[in-house]
Amino acid sequence: MHPVVKPALRRGWRDLNTVQFGMTPAHALTLGPVDTATGSFLELLNGTRGMRLLREEARRMGLPDGHADRLVQGLARSGLLDDARGGGASADTLRERKAVLDRLRPDLASLSVLTQEPGDAMRLLAARRSLRVQVRGAGRVGAVLAALLSGAGVGEVDVLDGGQVEPWDIAPGGLPADLVGERRTEAAHRVVRRAAPDRPPRRTPGGEPEPGWSLVVLAPRDDVAVHAPPPAAAEPYLTSGTPHLYAGVVEATGIVGPLVLPGETGCAGCLDRTRADRDATWPRLVAQWRSARPRHVRPCDLALATTVAGLAAAHALAFLDGRQPSSAGARWECSLPGLQWHARAVWPHPECPCGAAEKGSGEQASGDGAAHETMGEQRSSTEERHRARAARPAGTWRAHV
């Protein structure tokens, strides 16, 4: 192990013998009391030395035996320490590709803030290279979203859509103006390749069969499909157990979610049935919307679409990195001009064949008010877990919130 105090967390002295790591309440911790020698020793935790050399340096600085090990262990328990050479074989391979790693260093720094064990950030970043994501939809939301996932290091990002690129598909970070008239799918693939920090691995014809998709993102250009996702479109993913995330813009409202974990969280079918239970006219309205003459150009504000693409990409990456984002079983919505995000829970419906209701995940609330309350409780629970993690180390380690 080559310990390094996570450089992503800014360090500052609260007083003469108390150090604060990090600026924001969600991640900041304090260490104290810290004497002058220990403060100087912290500067040596920069990833260039192994524990043997660090122990020698500690003795030369007059620190007692075992002090270096106790300090390193305390920092590691608090999630403040990384391993400059950790992460496993895949991480070592990524380190050898310096140009690729340099592109991804901001993402690595962000992961280091979120991970607990030394070396985990590099392990997760390297693991992204083996993941496969499909984005269905190459409009202002889908194309930008696909480029973001590719640029964040996801190894394979496939995009599917029909038709040709139209002038109103163009968006900064997505489809460029010089691709107008090309097939949408091919144009989106070019955008994804340009965004990638590394060339995707070549697929050998006749080789091992490819694994399934790690995640499918449904980002339709059709605003009706955004507002009322057709359950039939997700049946293949429910059958195969493929996680899928919805994202898009309808009129002047951006939507991210739900992230559907088949058999565990509410799906498009659950959403449709719940809406019909609350409003008997819902099926009639949806039938009219779907059968109406399609609009030539649908409302899709550029800034709102980019916001949705960014948030959806963040939720997708959180899931791909092994976490469960707040879109699991919920739709986040944001409308112009207020731009205030709020969550609407998507409860498993007992009559939906997806089977999520059979998991018995607790009592289900009804109505948007209950959904808002439940999502607020989830956010509070998340904050409490952050505080619990920060406060876990004993002795001189204190959480600063």
Side-chain angles (χ1 to χ4, degrees):
M1 181 176 176
H2 284 62
V4 52
V5 176
K6 292 180 177 179
L9 296 172
R10 288 189 178 272
R11 194 184 316 173
W13 290 84
R14 298 179 63 84
D15 52 44
L16 291 177
N17 54 13
T18 306
V19 186
Q20 177 174 319
F21 299 87
M23 296 185 288
T24 62
H27 303 106
L29 291 173
T30 59
L31 167 63
V34 178
D35 55 53
T36 302
T38 299
S40 299
F41 182 78
L42 286 174
E43 301 296 330
L44 303 180
L45 301 179
N46 56 16
T48 63
R49 302 170 179 82
M51 285 306 303
R52 183 178 61 82
L53 288 178
L54 286 172
R55 294 186 190 102
E56 294 175 1
E57 292 285 354
R59 282 194 293 270
R60 280 195 286 269
M61 298 171 71
L63 294 171
D65 290 343
H67 186 77
D69 290 87
R70 288 192 295 273
L71 181 63
V72 167
Q73 290 168 7
L75 288 167
R77 286 197 304 270
S78 297
L80 294 172
L81 202 69
D82 214 337
D83 182 357
R85 299 187 182 181
S90 297
D92 292 338
T93 300
L94 180 55
R95 289 190 185 94
E96 294 172 359
R97 306 180 68 87
K98 184 178 182 303
V100 176
L101 182 56
D102 284 346
R103 283 274 302 272
L104 294 170
R105 286 194 184 280
D107 304 88
L108 177 62
S110 180
L111 283 171
S112 74
V113 174
L114 304 177
T115 52
Q116 179 77 12
E117 297 297 325
D120 267 1
M122 193 65 176
R123 178 183 61 79
L124 290 175
L125 188 65
R128 287 182 182 179
R129 291 160 58 85
S130 64
L131 300 177
R132 305 179 68 234
V133 176
Q134 185 179 71
V135 179
R136 301 188 70 91
R140 282 186 161 187
V141 173
V144 174
L145 196 160
L148 289 171
L149 294 177
S150 179
V154 175
E156 182 180 351
V157 180
D158 184 44
V159 188
L160 286 179
D161 204 342
Q164 296 178 331
V165 177
E166 302 288 354
W168 46 85
D169 293 324
I170 304 309
L175 297 172
D178 61 352
L179 296 184
V180 170
E182 293 197 15
R183 293 172 59 86
R184 276 199 185 90
T185 294
E186 295 174 1
H189 285 162
R190 290 175 62 178
V191 170
V192 166
R193 287 194 296 269
R194 291 173 184 173
D198 193 14
R199 290 184 178 181
R202 283 188 176 181
R203 304 296 177 187
T204 304
E208 292 294 324
E210 292 180 339
W213 300 112
S214 309
L215 176 69
V216 172
V217 182
L218 301 166
R221 290 177 291 111
D222 178 8
D223 50 358
V224 177
V226 173
H227 185 58
E235 286 181 1
Y237 312 124
L238 294 171
T239 302
S240 62
T242 303
H244 47 287
L245 172 68
Y246 292 88
V249 173
V250 51
E251 296 172 350
T253 296
I255 295 173
V256 175
L259 168 64
V260 180
L261 309 177
E264 298 182 24
T265 63
C267 67
C270 297
L271 176 63
D272 188 60
R273 285 171 169 80
T274 300
R275 282 170 159 174
D277 290 344
R278 295 175 182 170
D279 182 359
T281 65
W282 172 256
R284 184 186 311 152
L285 288 171
V286 173
Q288 294 176 68
W289 294 333
R290 290 175 179 166
S291 61
R293 178 182 300 177
R295 292 179 178 177
H296 186 53
V297 178
R298 299 170 178 86
C300 187
D301 179 85
L302 180 59
L304 181 60
T306 305
T307 300
V308 168
L311 184 62
H315 280 246
L317 288 169
F319 171 74
L320 294 170
D321 290 337
R323 298 176 179 84
Q324 183 162 305
S326 58
S327 56
R331 277 165 57 111
W332 285 95
E333 300 181 4
C334 175
S335 299
L336 297 173
L339 295 172
Q340 182 175 357
W341 286 98
H342 59 273
R344 299 185 187 276
V346 179
W347 302 113
H349 196 280
E351 296 179 7
C352 184
C354 74
E358 298 175 5
K359 296 282 287 188
S361 56
E363 292 186 6
Q364 300 178 10
S366 62
D368 290 342
H372 286 293
E373 182 179 354
T374 302
M375 296 309 300
E377 292 172 355
Q378 291 180 4
R379 289 194 295 273
S380 298
S381 177
T382 300
E383 292 171 359
E384 290 172 2
R385 287 197 297 271
H386 277 301
R387 292 189 177 96
R389 178 188 67 80
R392 190 190 315 166
T396 60
W397 297 91
R398 302 191 301 271
H400 173 67
V401 297

